[in-house]
Amino acid sequence: MINREEFTFPSAEGDHQVHAVLWLPEGEVRGVVQLVHGICEYILRYEPFALYLASQGFAVTGNDHLGHGQTAKDDSEFGYFENWWDLVKDVRTLRTTVGERFPGKPYFLLGHSMGSFVARTYLIDYPGTLTGCILSGTGQEPAATVALGKFVTGLGDPHKVNKLFYDLSIGAYNKKFAPNRTVADWICRDTGVVDAYLADPYCNFRTTAGMNHAMMRGLQYLGKRANLQKMDKDTPVYLFAGDADPVGAMGKGVRKVAGWFRDVGVKDVRMKLYPGGRHEMLNEINREEVFADTLAWLEEHL
């Protein structure tokens, strides 16, 4: 029987307790996988995948970011945080805490979407502390686009939604799948997943200008070669995405990031694009295939 533990730890931000989850397999733990969730969601959305990995002998953990899930103190805090590095430091705290519980075990990070940006920042800031890293639904907009986004989100009240930024980002993602059934068709082709996402109060909110501004700062950091050079070149990286994922520019952004890693000397960089897949490959109609492919990569790197 797989056991689920829930706990909290102090955020680097100083004013919140971070909600975290740990799924424990029966028997010996082969390795640890720490999940880093994306924008406008929360860690328990990953439970089907966590249970799958736990059934294969992995301990799986993850936390709700600031402004998300149960880390937010109330609905008014959804979609807001001030400092990109608070998220990265919280991921580091959880990695240290869970790593101490399973000393010597292979330890992997898997970040999705915004969580993949957090994971990429982690690779730069804490090199050599992972057995491997998996990036789901990542991408990288051109430097000029990121700079414009940072400028736009720096205008007005950071606690409020910046409509222009929303229309240019998440609002634009769905246009690629017109005629649209819902406002979230872009996340995956499974209509049940889309409907559950829209009905979930932990997902159905918009991000604030302050959070978007912080994320643009993070993306600028990730786009600088001098920062990428700080990564441990011996840490293997696996990128996967759908080739119809607008966050990854329909595969182009994923290829760009993989190319950056190879250019700075990361020795083991692999990438897989799933035909027709949209943003959330772990929730896609072929998710069983994605689960199995991810497990195979993990087992190869144990």
Side-chain angles (χ1 to χ4, degrees):
M1 179 178 176
I2 295 166
N3 185 43
R4 188 179 89 190
E5 299 178 5
E6 298 188 51
F7 58 98
T8 62
F9 61 88
S11 173
E13 170 260 3
D15 190 42
H16 287 77
Q17 289 293 312
V18 176
H19 172 253
V21 184
L22 175 65
W23 292 267
L24 291 170
E26 289 186 275
E28 184 181 355
V29 171
R30 302 167 67 199
V32 183
V33 178
Q34 181 173 337
L35 307 175
V36 190
H37 74 74
I39 204 166
C40 295
E41 57 166 358
Y42 56 106
I43 202 62
L44 283 174
R45 258 193 105 221
Y46 290 73
E47 184 153 68
F49 181 59
L51 293 174
Y52 171 79
L53 291 181
S55 74
Q56 302 298 316
F58 288 88
V60 183
T61 191
N63 66 272
D64 291 340
H65 298 308
L66 292 165
H68 292 77
Q70 295 180 57
T71 298
K73 294 177 181 177
D74 55 53
D75 294 0
S76 68
E77 291 193 347
F78 283 162
Y80 178 78
F81 57 77
E82 294 180 359
N83 189 334
W84 180 250
W85 277 267
D86 287 339
L87 271 64
V88 182
K89 290 175 182 176
D90 289 347
V91 166
R92 174 60 181 164
T93 298
L94 183 60
R95 189 265 176 266
T96 302
T97 301
V98 176
E100 289 173 351
R101 184 162 172 178
F102 302 103
K105 297 294 183 182
Y107 202 107
F108 301 90
L109 202 61
L110 188 160
H112 170 69
S113 192
M114 182 183 75
S116 78
F117 307 150
V118 173
R120 285 160 55 190
T121 310
Y122 183 101
L123 287 172
I124 294 168
D125 291 354
Y126 304 101
T129 62
L130 298 171
T131 306
C133 184
I134 302 173
L135 304 173
S136 160
T138 201
Q140 185 80 22
E141 294 288 346
T145 303
V146 176
L148 176 62
K150 182 181 174 185
F151 173 76
V152 168
T153 54
L155 304 172
D157 188 340
H159 291 272
K160 293 184 178 179
V161 174
N162 184 301
K163 187 177 183 303
L164 176 59
F165 183 85
Y166 178 85
D167 289 344
L168 293 173
S169 57
I170 293 176
Y173 295 157
N174 220 36
K175 293 178 181 178
K176 299 179 186 297
F177 304 100
N180 300 119
R181 188 183 70 89
T182 74
V183 296
D185 294 353
W186 64 281
I187 68 170
C188 72
R189 293 166 290 179
D190 188 321
T191 57
V193 169
V194 172
D195 290 345
Y197 175 87
L198 291 172
D200 192 330
Y202 280 160
C203 298
N204 195 10
F205 61 90
R206 291 190 178 186
T207 57
T208 63
M211 188 191 113
N212 296 138
H213 187 74
M215 187 164 65
M216 292 303 103
R217 286 188 62 211
L219 284 170
Q220 284 188 327
Y221 184 78
L222 296 176
K224 294 179 179 177
R225 184 182 176 88
N227 294 330
L228 295 171
Q229 290 279 14
K230 298 174 185 176
M231 296 189 298
D232 181 358
K233 311 308 188 292
D234 291 322
T235 300
V237 180
Y238 173 48
L239 305 90
F240 70 83
D243 71 0
D245 178 6
V247 175
M250 308 313 199
K252 293 178 183 177
V254 188
R255 291 190 187 95
K256 177 195 283 190
V257 174
W260 283 356
F261 287 178
R262 293 185 182 114
D263 287 346
V264 298
V266 179
K267 296 172 184 175
D268 183 352
V269 180
R270 287 186 233 175
M271 182 188 74
K272 181 161 185 174
L273 296 176
Y274 292 91
R278 300 183 187 180
H279 185 52
E280 294 185 350
M281 287 310 308
L282 293 175
N283 286 322
E284 261 291 6
I285 56 176
N286 61 323
R287 52 187 168 269
E288 291 181 2
E289 174 191 7
V290 180
F291 284 16
D293 290 345
T294 307
L295 175 65
W297 186 90
L298 288 166
E299 290 185 325
E300 184 181 341
H301 292 88
L302 280 174

